[in-house]
């Protein structure tokens, strides 16, 4: 009996997801026992970080301005205009900036990882690495993992600053909320934990993007068509993993009432 295409695709996705978990374990072991390729890592840092910076900052500024437009008018109607800055900071720091940054990096960087390594797989360059006594995990995966773990949180922090500047500009120029009032509300509403949780999420998102992109590349089959399919599947899987892990982390960090820092300390 022929297996339906949907079941075949689901089976393939589950198999590759299991391989991604094994790759994460193997990479973690190699990271602490092997050597790090400094040149390759620096190249990946430049590719993940500075090359992704313009689109990340533009997106963050627009999101900050849009969120302020949606919130400021309603808050002013209830006489709570002085809370706009704090609410914007909480939304950007806890959720919007980490998620937005991860989505941008997954679309731009994760797809490139899958396409590049997938092309190496179908052209037998991965086999050539084995013949040269070079571990593909050490040479290909670890530099990309380190680059994502360092740059995704960094981009998230820069996006937070940019988004706040965009929100402050709209609050001041459109809704007449003084910058002093805007930034004082941030001090009132925001705790250090609200700021630190963004980079923490960024590290997790970076791991997911790098491992999924590399794994889908390493498991590519079927020539050019397979590379295209792996690239698309890597991005979709990365986005799914980002959203699910964000829910789980938000549940752990901020469930219940009060500050997330207080909850984590209990």
């Amino acid at each position: 009996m022929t297996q339906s295409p949907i079941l075949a695709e689901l089976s393939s996705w589950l198999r590759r997801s299991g391989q991604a978990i094994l790759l994460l374990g193997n990479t973690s072991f190699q990271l602490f026992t092997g050597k790090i390729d400094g040149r390759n890592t620096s190249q990946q840092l430049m590719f993940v970080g500075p090359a992704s910076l313009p689109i990340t900052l533009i997106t963050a500024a627009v999101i900050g301005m849009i969120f302020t437009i949606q919130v400021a008018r309603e808050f002013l109607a209830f006489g709570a205009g002085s809370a706009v800055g704090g609410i914007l900071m909480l939304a950007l720091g806890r959720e919007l900036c980490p998620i937005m940054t991860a989505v941008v990096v997954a679309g731009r960087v994760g797809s490139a990882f899958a396409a590049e390594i997938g092309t190496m797989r179908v052209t037998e360059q991965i086999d050539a690495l084995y013949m040269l006594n070079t571990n593909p995990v050490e040479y290909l995966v670890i530099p990309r993992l380190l680059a994502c773990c360092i740059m995704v949180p960094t981009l998230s922090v820069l996006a937070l600053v940019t988004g706040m500047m965009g929100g402050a500009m709209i609050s001041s120029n459109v809704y007449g909320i003084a910058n002093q009032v805007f930034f004082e509300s941030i001090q009132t509403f925001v705790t250090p934990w609200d700021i630190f949780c963004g980079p923490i999420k960024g590290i997790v998102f970076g791991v997911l993007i790098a491992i999924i992109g590399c794994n889908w590349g390493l498991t590519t089959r079927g020539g050019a068509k397979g590379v295209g399919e792996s690239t698309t599947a890597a991005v979709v899987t990365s986005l799914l993993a980002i959203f699910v892990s964000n829910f789980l982390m938000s549940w752990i960090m901020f469930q219940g009432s009060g500050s997330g820092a207080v909850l984590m300390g209990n």
Side-chain angles (χ1 to χ4, degrees):
M1 183 177 179
T2 304
Q3 190 178 31
S4 69
I6 295 178
L7 290 177
E9 185 172 348
L10 178 60
S11 176
S12 175
W13 182 83
L14 291 174
R15 174 179 53 81
R16 296 174 94 172
S17 297
Q19 291 173 328
I21 296 174
L22 295 176
L23 178 62
L24 176 59
N26 187 14
T27 304
S28 301
F29 177 78
Q30 294 289 337
L31 182 62
F32 291 106
T33 60
K35 61 181 181 179
I36 299 174
D37 190 321
R39 180 180 178 182
N40 200 1
T41 301
S42 64
Q43 291 175 348
Q44 296 303 323
L45 285 169
M46 293 297 296
F47 176 67
V48 177
S52 302
L53 186 60
I55 186 173
T56 301
L57 296 186
I58 292 172
T59 305
V62 172
I63 288 178
M65 291 187 285
I66 292 174
F67 188 88
T68 304
I69 291 173
Q70 297 294 333
V71 170
R73 185 181 64 176
E74 306 302 329
F75 274 43
L76 288 171
F78 288 98
S82 61
V84 171
I87 297 301
L88 176 63
M89 183 69 171
L90 289 175
L92 291 177
R94 290 181 174 184
E95 300 294 339
L96 296 181
C97 283
I99 279 286
M100 176 274 300
T101 302
V103 169
V104 169
V105 174
R108 182 187 176 278
V109 175
S111 60
F113 288 172
E116 181 181 0
I117 297 177
T119 301
M120 294 179 68
R121 168 60 73 185
V122 299
T123 56
E124 300 182 350
Q125 294 181 54
I126 302 294
D127 297 330
L129 289 177
Y130 283 114
M131 293 180 64
L132 294 172
N133 198 29
T134 300
N135 190 333
V137 172
E138 186 177 294
Y139 183 74
L140 297 174
V141 181
I142 289 179
R144 287 165 171 79
L145 177 64
L146 291 175
C148 286
C149 288
I150 294 171
M151 285 302 176
V152 174
T154 303
L155 290 172
S156 178
V157 172
L158 296 175
L160 175 60
V161 175
T162 305
M164 290 305 302
M165 293 301 102
M169 182 182 67
I170 293 295
S171 296
S172 175
N173 296 330
V174 178
Y175 295 101
I177 301 174
N179 285 332
Q180 180 180 356
V181 174
F182 183 90
F183 289 107
E184 283 180 353
S185 69
I186 294 177
Q187 297 178 348
T188 302
F189 280 82
V190 178
T191 67
W193 175 248
D194 296 318
I195 299 175
F196 293 149
C197 70
I200 292 173
K201 287 185 175 183
I203 294 173
V204 176
F205 296 155
V207 171
L208 293 173
I209 293 169
I211 291 298
I212 292 173
C214 292
N215 179 75
W216 257 251
L218 289 170
T219 56
T220 297
R221 299 289 185 274
K225 180 180 178 181
V227 173
E229 291 174 348
S230 291
T231 302
T232 301
V235 174
V236 173
T237 305
S238 295
L239 295 178
L240 178 62
I242 287 167
F243 292 134
V244 172
S245 64
N246 181 64
F247 167 77
L248 296 175
M249 286 187 289
S250 295
W251 178 265
I252 294 171
M253 293 175 176
F254 304 114
Q255 64 172 312
S257 59
S259 170
V262 174
L263 287 172
M264 293 296 290
N266 289 336

